[in-house]
Amino acid sequence: EAILLMKRNSVVLKDSEFISSQIETVNRLNQSQTNDLSAFETAKQKVSLYFERLKVLGLDDKTIASKPISILKIGWLFPFYLSGYLLNILPSIFLENIVKNKIKEKQFKSSVRMVLSLFIYSIYILSVAFLLNLAFGNYAFSLFIIAGLLFCYYKSFAAFNILKQQRKPNINSQEIENLKLLRSEITENLNL
């Protein structure tokens, strides 16, 4: 599973290629285990060490696999991120308060959160679009603005999370470089 995760974070695949790529990787790993067990065990230990180190540092593989994000890109994306964040903050807080206070069983929280979010966000987005319609006089334009803000927030959210992990104060750049080196060694040995 860890190797498949590394493969997913290394290569952007279309849906049609995704499954065949995963099957190919699993077959290659099975063949490696059968043909050269010692090399397979060595790779397994390196993968285990890599993910243990990520866990200790509070990082994920996507952060190590991605290129460093420039401050210029973050500066350009920040207005979109902030507007999307502000647009989402009210329903998110409302939703989390309902789930936290009303749902006691842990296994039901995610299901209830999903159903409530569909309902709450639908009403919220339509209400915001109605208010924007009053301001601009065009309901379709209002929905377009909201959809654009949500799309930009979604696209910039991943970049901000990666930047946040790359710039953690307790992690120096040498540790990240060591993890990148270990990751590249693993991917080269396993032909990912």
Side-chain angles (χ1 to χ4, degrees):
E1 282 299 316
I3 292 171
L4 291 175
L5 175 67
M6 291 172 75
K7 173 87 174 193
R8 285 189 297 266
N9 290 333
S10 297
V11 182
V12 177
L13 298 171
K14 297 176 187 171
D15 290 338
S16 59
E17 299 169 333
F18 177 76
I19 293 174
S20 61
S21 170
Q22 297 289 304
I23 291 170
E24 177 187 319
T25 303
V26 169
N27 288 338
R28 196 174 317 123
L29 289 172
N30 287 337
Q31 189 177 29
S32 172
Q33 184 178 16
T34 304
N35 294 343
D36 192 359
L37 186 59
S38 64
F40 179 80
E41 288 298 323
T42 303
K44 187 176 174 182
Q45 289 173 349
K46 285 182 181 179
V47 169
S48 179
L49 173 71
Y50 172 72
F51 277 94
E52 285 174 18
R53 191 69 192 138
L54 287 177
K55 187 176 182 179
V56 167
L57 294 172
L59 298 173
D60 60 20
D61 181 59
K62 192 168 192 94
T63 301
I64 303 301
S66 63
K67 297 176 185 170
I69 297 178
S70 71
I71 298 298
L72 182 64
K73 181 178 180 180
I74 293 298
W76 183 81
L77 290 174
F78 185 73
F80 300 109
Y81 175 81
L82 183 62
S83 60
Y85 178 79
L86 293 174
L87 184 64
N88 283 303
I89 194 75
L90 284 176
S92 296
I93 291 172
F94 181 69
L95 181 67
E96 285 306 312
N97 281 336
I98 289 174
V99 171
K100 184 178 171 184
N101 295 329
K102 301 292 182 192
I103 309 301
K104 303 299 180 207
E105 300 291 328
K106 188 176 183 177
Q107 65 267 25
F108 296 124
K109 287 187 177 194
S110 60
S111 301
V112 170
R113 186 179 291 117
M114 184 185 76
V115 171
L116 279 176
S117 66
L118 286 172
F119 179 71
I120 290 171
Y121 270 95
S122 297
I123 291 171
Y124 178 72
I125 294 299
L126 291 174
S127 301
V128 170
F130 177 75
L131 292 174
L132 286 174
N133 180 39
L134 292 176
F136 295 115
N138 188 338
Y139 197 69
F141 181 67
S142 302
L143 284 173
F144 179 74
I145 289 174
I146 292 171
L149 287 174
L150 291 175
F151 177 76
C152 290
Y153 175 69
Y154 170 74
K155 287 297 188 180
S156 62
F157 184 77
F160 274 91
N161 281 340
I162 289 171
L163 179 73
K164 202 178 347 176
Q165 284 198 359
Q166 288 176 345
R167 308 245 181 203
K168 280 187 172 185
N170 62 338
I171 301 170
N172 65 33
S173 60
Q174 185 59 44
E175 286 180 286
I176 290 182
E177 288 304 315
N178 290 341
L179 285 169
K180 285 186 180 198
L181 186 64
L182 180 58
R183 187 182 195 285
S184 67
E185 186 180 316
I186 292 167
T187 56
E188 286 174 17
N189 287 344
L190 296 173
N191 295 325
L192 298 178

